[in-house]
C-alpha cells in the first residue's frame, strides 16, 4: 500500500506539437504517471517519466485538448 501525493503540473512545453512530436510536462509527484491528451492514453512505452518531468510523444491519432496525468492507476 502506497500513499502518494497528488501529481501537480506546473508547465507544458511546447504548447503546440504535431503528432509524432515530443512535449515535456513539468511538475511534481509525477512518478508512475500516465498521460492523456483529450482522454487518449499515451502508452507508457512512448513516455519517459521522472518525479518532476514527463517526456511524451504525441500519438498520431491525437486531437487537441486537455492534458492530464494520473498516477498509480
Amino acid at each position: 500500500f502506497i500513499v502518494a501525493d497528488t501529481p501537480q503540473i506546473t508547465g507544458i512545453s511546447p504548447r503546440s506539437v504535431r503528432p509524432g512530436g515530443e512535449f515535456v510536462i513539468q511538475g511534481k509527484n509525477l512518478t508512475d504517471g500516465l498521460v492523456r491528451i483529450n482522454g487518449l492514453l499515451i502508452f507508457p512505452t512512448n513516455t519517459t517519466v521522472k518525479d518532476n518531468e514527463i517526456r511524451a510523444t504525441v500519438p498520431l491519432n491525437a486531437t487537441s485538448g486537455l492534458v492530464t496525468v494520473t498516477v498509480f492507476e
Side-chain angles (χ1 to χ4, degrees), residues 13-31:
S13 62
R15 303 291 281 169
S16 177
V17 183
R18 294 186 184 275
E22 183 181 80
F23 70 104
V24 180
I25 300 169
Q26 297 92 17
K28 63 182 190 175
N29 305 318
L30 302 176
T31 301

Side-chain angles (χ1 to χ4, degrees), residues 41-57:
L41 176 67
I42 298 178
F43 292 109
T45 55
N46 292 329
T47 62
T48 303
V49 180
K50 298 178 185 176
D51 186 57
N52 62 348
E53 176 183 276
I54 298 176
R55 293 183 172 272
T57 302

